[in-house]
Amino acid sequence: DRGGETEEREVRRYTREVDGGTNYLLVFHSPSGIRGSALLTHQHDNTADDQWLYLPAVGQMKRIAEGGRRNAFMGTDYTYEDLISEPKDKFAYTRLDDEDLDGKAHFVVEAVPTDPEIKAESGYSKRRLWISQDHYMITRVDYWDRRERLIKRQTNSELVQVEGDAWRANRSRMENLRRKHATETVTLERTFDEDAVPSRMFQQRFVTSGRHLR
């Protein structure tokens, strides 16, 4: 925060591609006060995504309403909206002038929602994306609120080649420019072993049974 105070959490994130979309499960392992809390997301290619939040103290999955996705997620600088996929046919993309970031050439693209439902529910009027020309990775995203004020900035760094031509960022920082508060994510380990993410992990009853903590 603006006073320099920090809080550390350990999180594991599981992803599995399925017919018609992708499933995600994010699980908090520490500290003890939030251990077992989880966010389950079913991303659909052609329909709206489904999201559920699980809090052990409540003992059941709470569905995240589409209108509530602009809210902050678990005290971080990410909203639920930041954690779901983007239906590209419901946005307009405009290429702006190329720019250099940290001495590297980037494409700059502005994304504006065109779908009336997304316009009504989103907390953002537009986003601006900086895409590296060597790896085609998004290294920076600026977010404007519905009053056209720049409110957040995400930067992705420590890019590594993980599998084939695929690249990932080992460090990501989401900064709330108005609150002077930031959330920094550091990836310690990743695996692409399919056996590590069986289909049953993405069922609600798997989470409510407590088996998601392993």
Side-chain angles (χ1 to χ4, degrees), residues 123-125 144-150 178:
Y124 310 123
S125 61
W144 278 261
D145 68 9
R146 295 160 67 91
R147 296 175 64 182
E148 297 292 335
R149 298 174 298 184
L150 177 62
R178 298 179 63 192

Side-chain angles (χ1 to χ4, degrees), residues 11-14 24-28 37-40 73 83:
V11 177
R12 295 184 183 180
R13 183 173 183 263
Y14 306 91
Y24 304 92
L25 176 64
L26 189 151
V27 181
F28 287 89
S37 300
L39 179 68
L40 176 63
F73 170 62
L83 301 174

Side-chain angles (χ1 to χ4, degrees), residues 153-167:
R153 173 169 295 158
Q154 181 177 1
T155 53
N156 302 315
S157 59
E158 298 183 12
L159 305 184
V160 293
Q161 191 170 3
V162 294
E163 189 176 64
D165 294 330
W167 288 74

Side-chain angles (χ1 to χ4, degrees), residues 1-2 72 76-79 124 143 150-154 173-183:
D1 61 18
R2 69 178 66 203
T76 71
D77 295 283
Y78 291 89
T79 65
Y124 310 123
Y143 299 79
L150 177 62
I151 56 170
K152 293 201 308 186
R153 173 169 295 158
Q154 181 177 1
R173 179 182 176 88
M174 179 69 86
E175 185 175 4
N176 189 312
L177 302 174
R178 298 179 63 192
R179 293 176 55 212
K180 307 297 183 184
H181 192 281
T183 299

Side-chain angles (χ1 to χ4, degrees), residues 112-123:
V112 178
T114 56
D115 180 81
E117 188 172 330
I118 293 180
K119 279 186 175 182
E121 296 171 353
S122 176

Side-chain angles (χ1 to χ4, degrees), residues 169-198:
N170 274 351
R171 187 178 295 269
S172 182
R173 179 182 176 88
M174 179 69 86
E175 185 175 4
N176 189 312
L177 302 174
R178 298 179 63 192
R179 293 176 55 212
K180 307 297 183 184
H181 192 281
T183 299
E184 189 154 331
T185 304
V186 179
T187 300
L188 303 178
E189 182 183 359
R190 59 167 57 86
T191 177
F192 291 89
D193 181 5
E194 188 174 353
D195 293 336
V197 283

